[in-house]
Amino acid sequence: MSPDLELVHTRQDESFRAWVHDYPHTVAKWHFHPEYEVHVIRESSGKFFVGDFIGDFAPGNLVLTGSNLPHNWISDSGNSAEVPSRDLVLQFSREAVERMVSAFAELSPVLVLLDQASRGLQFPDRLGLAIVPVMQELSTAHGARRVSLLMSILDQLIGCADRKLLAGPSYDVNAQRYMSSSINQVLSYIQQNLSGNLRETDVIELSGMSVSTFTRFFKRHTGCTFVQYQNRLRLNEACELLMCTDLSVTDVCYRVGFNNVSNFNRQFLALKGMPPSRFRALHRLNEAPAQVNRAAA
């Protein structure tokens, strides 16, 4: 079965992504991405898959996956029961790490670790359990605290000699082979043309499917319609622009691909429970204490 491509969204003012997700979740499936991933299981047990490796997992399961290495965790409950905050995830590119190493030579062992992770690395559950609170804090941390927590996690991974390679030596990590599948071509095309005049008919033509077949196909792989998926990506980009730039709400609307401000406001309200202007105001209110503390220092 061909893995699906996950598009990892890292904010413009951050160099890596750290987050928590429940189970089931749209990314809890057989998938891959160019970014490296530190993955910790907080709750539940089941089977996990990395390349051609299949193993058992329990709370504390700690794995580092290499670039474009397919992976998935399936809880014993299947999709019949929810597991809140099951997965703690840290994702970063090799380029981001290389920039860190160029600034701090002491971090060069991280590159050795990443090279070893090309087939996936599993660490002892006891280390995973110890890292859980650090990963949990990292998912909501800001500024220099994020970097401090990241360094702590990487230091513990580097210092742990008890690590196990997962995928076999002959396993072929070939992203181009995965990308040949229809869903990955479709998702990549949507991402690349998101801010333009992206029409569903163009995507259907790219897929070579009939309208009805594409509709079923897209819903099965993404859990939503084409328009819902497109709007979700555009609104995610809008949130970043509202948080990280001084662009007006109108400019943000057109920058992310909406062509109607009223529709943009309505869609934003439905997703975030507040209008864009309120979202920006609350974000700046949230940032104010940090600015006060820096000024006082």
Side-chain angles (χ1 to χ4, degrees):
M1 181 176 65
S2 180
D4 287 341
L5 170 67
E6 177 189 340
L7 300 174
V8 175
H9 180 74
T10 301
R11 285 173 42 173
Q12 293 177 355
D13 61 343
E14 295 178 346
S15 53
F16 58 90
R17 186 186 187 199
W19 59 301
V20 181
H21 72 74
D22 304 334
Y23 181 82
H25 191 276
T26 54
V27 301
K29 59 183 177 180
W30 184 234
H31 71 285
F32 73 103
H33 40 73
E35 293 77 12
Y36 293 81
E37 177 173 300
V38 178
H39 193 113
V40 186
I41 292 292
R42 194 186 66 86
E43 295 287 349
S44 83
S45 59
K47 296 287 186 184
F48 75 106
F49 307 76
V50 177
D52 59 0
F53 174 86
I54 302 175
D56 298 309
F57 75 81
N61 176 258
L62 172 58
V63 171
L64 171 61
T65 60
S67 178
N68 293 319
L69 180 63
H71 50 279
N72 188 25
W73 281 255
I74 301 178
S75 291
D76 288 332
S77 60
N79 293 327
S80 61
E82 293 185 357
V83 185
S85 303
R86 186 194 73 162
D87 306 81
L88 305 171
V89 182
L90 165 62
Q91 295 166 317
F92 51 86
S93 68
R94 188 179 186 93
E95 290 75 18
V97 173
E98 288 175 345
R99 289 196 298 270
M100 296 177 196
V101 173
S102 68
F104 300 99
E106 294 86 349
L107 294 175
S108 57
V110 179
L111 292 177
V112 177
L113 182 71
L114 297 189
D115 290 339
Q116 295 175 351
S118 61
R119 290 160 51 194
L121 290 173
Q122 182 179 7
F123 297 83
D125 286 1
R126 64 179 181 276
L127 178 59
L129 292 171
I131 282 179
V132 161
V134 185
M135 292 276 286
Q136 207 135 23
E137 182 183 354
L138 180 61
S139 67
T140 58
H142 298 281
R145 181 58 179 164
R146 296 183 85 241
V147 179
S148 173
L149 294 168
L150 172 67
M151 293 300 105
S152 173
I153 292 169
L154 293 177
D155 182 56
Q156 293 183 69
L157 295 181
I158 292 169
C160 180
D162 185 11
R163 56 181 81 153
K164 179 176 73 172
L165 284 169
L166 297 178
S170 61
Y171 185 78
D172 181 22
V173 179
N174 187 342
Q176 291 304 315
R177 173 165 54 90
Y178 310 147
M179 289 299 292
S180 65
S181 69
S182 297
I183 186 60
N184 293 327
Q185 289 181 338
V186 166
L187 295 182
S188 294
Y189 182 83
I190 293 173
Q191 184 70 32
Q192 293 166 10
N193 296 277
L194 193 62
S195 60
N197 184 25
L198 181 62
R199 300 179 303 175
E200 186 173 9
T201 53
D202 295 333
V203 181
I204 292 174
E205 183 178 348
L206 173 71
S207 72
M209 303 177 190
S210 67
V211 174
S212 58
T213 300
F214 177 84
T215 300
R216 293 192 301 270
F217 164 84
F218 195 86
K219 183 71 176 289
R220 183 173 73 250
H221 282 281
T222 65
C224 56
T225 67
F226 171 83
V227 172
Q228 290 170 336
Y229 183 83
Q230 180 186 47
N231 284 343
R232 186 174 67 191
L233 291 183
R234 285 175 168 170
L235 291 170
N236 285 342
E237 178 69 16
C239 288
E240 181 174 334
L241 292 174
L242 289 167
M243 290 187 292
C244 303
T245 75
D246 292 323
L247 291 171
S248 69
V249 170
T250 299
D251 287 340
V252 169
C253 163
Y254 293 117
R255 177 74 66 89
V256 300
F258 284 92
N259 55 19
N260 181 290
V261 176
S262 296
N263 182 45
F264 170 67
N265 287 332
R266 183 169 60 253
Q267 296 290 342
F268 197 99
L269 179 63
L271 180 70
K272 294 296 182 181
M274 64 185 74
S277 57
R278 177 64 173 164
F279 177 87
R280 168 175 274 170
L282 289 176
H283 176 73
R284 290 180 174 175
L285 180 65
N286 184 49
E287 291 291 313
Q291 295 172 358
V292 171
N293 290 338
R294 286 195 293 269

